[in-house]
Amino acid sequence: MNLLYSEIEEDLRASVRAVLTDHCPPSAVLARLESDSPCDMDLWRILVELGVTGLHVPEDRGGQGASLRETAVVMEELGRFVAPVPFLGSTVLATTALLACDSDLVGSLASGTTTGALAVPLTAAPGSPFPATVSASADGLLTGRVTSVVDARAASLLVVPVAGPALYAVRADAPGVTVTEVVSLDMTRRIADVSLASTPGVVIASGDQATAAVEAALRAGAGLLASEQVGIAETCLEQTVRHVKDRHQFGRAIGSFQAIKHRLADLWLELVCARATARHAADALTRQADDADVAVALAQSECADLAVHAAEEAVQLHGGIGMTWEHPAHLSLKRAKVNQLALGTPGEHRMTLGHMVHLLMDIPSRR
């Protein structure tokens, strides 16, 4: 196990950061939120051209032949910029599910010609029961409703779990499909309710394979979300350190006050620890290690709370400007708060972790 970033991963980070710096500054994100198309498909197409949508897809299936470690690096950078693109829903959740099904459809998601979404609630955690809110008739028509599906509005392909269990591929423009956006605290990552009414679909997996595919997607999603949470925390810390160096009161920089130093030093230590857990999760998922479930639960237990803490510190230590719409601190805070509920809360992951390591007790969330 090597948790250090490789030279290739650092080069990838530099490329993604350069694109996001040019095309996703805070002013552009804020303007996007006030427009009729909150998902930045122009930026998405640039990321597709960069090849990041198929990083962990094998080359013989249309991808780049890298691994989830590289995908985790991209997630870090997207978290830093709070980028409004459907990377989590399409590249992580839907692509991982299709990979586990050995579906030929994964090539179109890897190449970016298709954008996908896994039709499960955003709050679904690894180890959750197989979703059964959609049923299939004898002639293969699907009926049912799934709430709070991430990136469903941007998807042209829906990967739908169906009672049975089974997984179906459904075109978003198929008859009977209704995608209704719901209000989310984080306006940079949209969620929607998906309703199906006698909708045609194609079976891509059934039985144990379908169950395993959904579980693999949720596990990878939770594990890689930890990397995004690290990215959020890192940019919040960097912005705050810059501010307290420049902001003066009583004739001195507020960052010179001991109380401020202590708060930022504590946050830095939390970030270092959280980064290690996120890297461990990405590495364990890549190696398909026996302790991958433990690594994911540990990472989410640590990183979800860290991101919220870092964003709260950023808002508070920026003072009045941190409370304004124009300052990007609220974007990071909203993404961090929603991520804290996504793919299992920290408390759920701590409970899961406790059982996996034979610590059978109630483990409350720290926050």
Side-chain angles (χ1 to χ4, degrees):
M1 184 192 305
N2 182 0
L3 302 187
L4 298 177
Y5 296 102
S6 67
E7 183 178 347
I8 292 175
E9 289 168 343
E10 291 292 4
D11 289 343
L12 172 64
R13 180 194 305 283
S15 298
V16 174
R17 185 174 296 185
V19 167
L20 294 175
T21 299
D22 291 340
H23 298 277
C24 193
S27 58
V29 176
L30 288 169
R32 175 70 54 181
L33 300 186
E34 297 173 339
S35 71
D36 294 331
S37 53
C39 190
D40 192 344
M41 298 310 293
D42 291 333
L43 173 60
W44 178 245
R45 282 187 283 271
I46 295 173
L47 293 173
V48 168
E49 292 174 1
L50 197 60
V52 301
T53 53
L55 282 171
H56 63 282
V57 177
E59 291 183 271
D60 59 2
R61 300 187 66 182
Q64 304 299 319
S67 73
L68 287 171
R69 283 176 59 117
E70 286 77 15
T71 304
V73 170
V74 178
M75 288 287 284
E76 279 188 42
E77 293 306 306
L78 295 177
R80 286 179 64 93
F81 289 84
V82 199
V85 292
F87 193 85
L88 176 63
S90 184
T91 301
V92 178
L93 294 174
T95 297
T96 303
L98 291 176
L99 276 173
C101 295
D102 294 324
S103 171
D104 293 336
L105 294 170
V106 73
S108 63
L109 267 66
S111 66
T113 56
T114 301
T115 303
L118 180 64
V120 297
L122 181 58
T123 55
S128 300
F130 188 86
T133 58
V134 178
S135 59
S137 64
D139 52 359
L141 298 179
L142 307 182
T143 300
R145 182 170 178 265
V146 186
T147 60
S148 304
V149 178
V150 65
D151 296 327
R153 278 288 302 275
S156 53
L157 176 71
L158 300 173
V159 182
V160 183
V162 176
L167 270 183
Y168 279 69
V170 176
R171 291 184 58 84
D173 59 358
V177 177
T178 303
V179 180
T180 306
E181 187 171 304
V182 297
V183 176
S184 173
L185 175 64
D186 177 16
M187 298 172 66
T188 64
R189 173 170 285 155
R190 297 304 178 101
I191 58 176
D193 295 341
V194 177
S195 298
L196 308 174
S198 298
T199 301
V202 177
V203 180
I204 54 177
S206 59
D208 291 342
Q209 187 182 32
T211 302
V214 172
E215 178 62 20
L218 294 177
R219 183 171 59 244
L224 297 190
L225 193 64
S227 291
E228 180 177 281
Q229 291 158 341
V230 166
I232 293 170
E234 185 175 49
T235 193
C236 287
L237 178 58
E238 291 175 357
Q239 291 172 359
T240 307
V241 169
R242 284 196 300 269
H243 177 75
V244 299
K245 285 181 177 179
D246 295 337
R247 181 75 169 93
H248 283 68
Q249 285 184 348
F250 309 110
R252 58 189 290 192
I254 63 173
S256 65
F257 298 131
Q258 191 175 48
I260 302 296
K261 289 181 179 179
H262 285 177
R263 289 172 68 170
L264 294 178
D266 289 344
L267 183 57
W268 183 82
L269 288 173
E270 289 182 42
L271 175 59
V272 171
C273 294
R275 185 187 299 281
T277 66
R279 291 294 291 168
H280 178 213
D283 185 75
L285 289 167
T286 296
R287 294 183 291 108
Q288 298 183 353
D290 292 338
D291 66 343
D293 289 335
V294 173
V296 169
L298 178 62
Q300 270 301 309
S301 298
E302 184 72 17
C303 297
D305 285 340
L306 163 71
V308 174
H309 179 207
E312 289 175 343
E313 291 288 75
V315 171
Q316 292 178 17
L317 294 180
H318 274 81
I321 189 66
M323 301 295 294
T324 64
W325 177 262
E326 290 76 13
H327 195 277
H330 70 94
L331 297 175
S332 296
L333 178 59
K334 291 170 183 175
R335 173 68 67 91
K337 288 297 290 184
V338 171
N339 281 356
Q340 197 177 34
L341 302 176
L343 301 171
T345 66
E348 288 178 293
H349 285 288
R350 291 189 186 101
M351 185 65 70
T352 299
L353 181 62
H355 284 281
M356 286 191 290
V357 299
H358 309 295
L359 183 63
L360 304 181
M361 61 175 68
D362 290 336
I363 307 174
S365 173
R366 292 183 303 174
R367 303 189 70 81

